Amino acid sequence: MHYNKETPEQKRERLRQEETKRNPTGNLNDAFNRANSGSLMDLVESFGWKGTGILILVFIIGFIIASFFF
């Protein structure tokens, strides 16, 4: 494999998969706990930096609009 040309996201995913292969029950426990509480890191990674910025803007605009009505 060519690890030198990996992006940081690919490296994280590769390391996560290797950990899953080494410790499947620990991964099951992590997945169960993450499903209960949610993971902001997973949300941010899935959106990328542009999507995260848009999400923050939507929250700010929503807060401003809500403050006018309530």
Side-chain angles (χ1 to χ4, degrees), residues 6 9 18 26 34 37 40-42 50 53-54 62 65 70:
E6 281 184 322
E9 292 86 12
E18 289 173 2
R34 190 175 300 130
S37 62
L40 183 60
M41 185 67 182
D42 290 336
K50 290 179 185 176
I54 292 171
I65 291 172
F70 299 107

Side-chain angles (χ1 to χ4, degrees), residues 6-67:
E6 281 184 322
T7 63
E9 292 86 12
Q10 290 171 334
K11 183 176 180 181
R12 269 189 301 246
E13 182 64 23
R14 179 179 52 81
L15 291 172
R16 186 187 66 78
Q17 288 177 358
E18 289 173 2
E19 178 64 26
T20 301
K21 289 177 186 175
R22 285 192 304 259
N23 189 4
T25 56
N27 184 49
L28 179 65
N29 186 31
D30 290 344
F32 179 73
N33 291 333
R34 190 175 300 130
N36 283 337
S37 62
S39 174
L40 183 60
M41 185 67 182
D42 290 336
L43 177 67
V44 170
E45 284 180 359
S46 66
F47 280 154
W49 69 271
K50 290 179 185 176
T52 304
I54 292 171
L55 183 65
I56 292 170
L57 284 175
V58 167
F59 283 141
I60 292 171
I61 292 170
F63 179 75
I64 292 170
I65 291 172
S67 66

